[in-house]
Amino acid sequence: MRKCFLLLLALLLFTGCTPAVPPVGEQTSQDFATAVPDTTVSPAESTAPSTVSPTENTSSDTETTAMPEVLPLPDTPLSIRYENRETFPYVNSLWAESWTEYGWLSGDGMSVSRKFSDIQAELPPLVYHKDWEILYQDGVSFLYVSIYSEDYERLHHNEELSVLDELSAGRYYLVITVKKQGDYIEASQKHESRGYECVFALEVSGS
C-alpha cells in the first residue's frame, strides 16, 4: 500500500515539472518571434536604387550650346568662287607697315617666287574659268598679277587680271598680289597696311 502511494506521488511530481509541448506544426508566439526576424522596411528607410529616366537632366547647371549654322571661312585676303565652289589660296606675307610708339615700322618678306619648289604640295589646284568670281575680304584691294611657268619662270608680272585670257593650255603658278588696309593712324594721317601674295596652282584647259 505504501509502495503504491509513493509511485503516485512520483508521477504527480514528474508531470508538474515537464513543460507543455505544443502539437507538431504549431509554434508559440514567443518562439515564432525568435525564429523569424522582422524584415519589414518602412518607405523612408528603403534602400532600393532610384530610377532616373535617360532623358531626365539631373544637373541644373548644364548648358546646351547650339552648333553654328555657318562655319567661319579661312582668314585669307581673298578666295575664288566658281559654280558655288570656293577655293582659298596659299598666302605669303610680302610686306608690312605698322605704327609703333617710335613711329612707323616697315618690313619686307621673301617673295613666293623664291620658294615654289618648297611649297608646291601646299598650293591649291585651280582650273581657270573666264566667269569665275574673285571675292576680297573687307579692306583688301587688288594690286597686280604675276604668272609663272611650271619651271618657275616668270612669264607675266605687274599685270591686270585680263592677262589670264591670253594664256594657252597648260599648267602655271598664279600669284595675285593684294594690299590689306589696317588701322588709321591720326598722328600720321595714314593707314597701316600689309601686302600679301595669294598663290594657286593654275590649270588652263584648251578651248
Side-chain angles (χ1 to χ4, degrees), residues 8 16 19 32 58 64 74 99-100 139 154 192 196 200:
L8 180 60
F32 185 81
T58 58
T64 301
W99 178 259
T100 71
R154 190 169 70 181
E192 294 180 313
Y196 297 101
F200 302 87

Side-chain angles (χ1 to χ4, degrees), residues 128 130 147 156 159-169 172 204:
Y128 175 62
K130 290 186 177 182
I147 299 175
H156 299 277
E159 298 278 1
E160 296 293 329
L161 288 167
S162 57
V163 73
L164 294 170
D165 295 334
E166 302 174 11
L167 297 177
S168 57
Y172 304 89
V204 177

Side-chain angles (χ1 to χ4, degrees), residues 133-205:
E133 181 181 9
I134 299 180
L135 307 175
Y136 298 95
Q137 281 197 2
D138 291 341
V140 175
S141 58
F142 171 85
L143 292 180
Y144 57 86
V145 163
S146 299
I147 299 175
Y148 296 79
S149 69
E150 283 189 289
D151 298 325
Y152 316 131
E153 178 187 357
R154 190 169 70 181
L155 304 176
H156 299 277
H157 181 61
N158 199 20
E159 298 278 1
E160 296 293 329
L161 288 167
S162 57
V163 73
L164 294 170
D165 295 334
E166 302 174 11
L167 297 177
S168 57
R171 297 179 182 274
Y172 304 89
Y173 295 109
L174 169 64
V175 181
I176 303 175
T177 302
V178 298
K179 180 178 75 172
K180 184 173 184 179
Q181 183 173 277
D183 295 334
Y184 180 74
I185 307 303
E186 185 68 33
S188 185
Q189 297 185 349
K190 181 181 176 181
H191 284 89
E192 294 180 313
S193 62
R194 289 181 176 271
Y196 297 101
E197 292 175 313
C198 301
V199 190
F200 302 87
L202 182 68
E203 180 181 349
V204 177
S205 59

Side-chain angles (χ1 to χ4, degrees), residues 92-108:
N92 180 59
S93 183
L94 193 58
W95 49 263
E97 290 183 344
S98 303
W99 178 259
T100 71
E101 58 181 321
Y102 305 106
W104 286 101
L105 179 65
S106 300
D108 294 325

Side-chain angles (χ1 to χ4, degrees), residues 1 5 10 18 21 25 37 47 50 62 79 81 87 93 146 162 186-187 194 198:
M1 184 69 174
F5 176 75
T18 303
V21 179
T47 58
S50 59
T62 302
S79 62
R81 179 187 294 169
T87 304
S93 183
S146 299
S162 57
E186 185 68 33
R194 289 181 176 271
C198 301

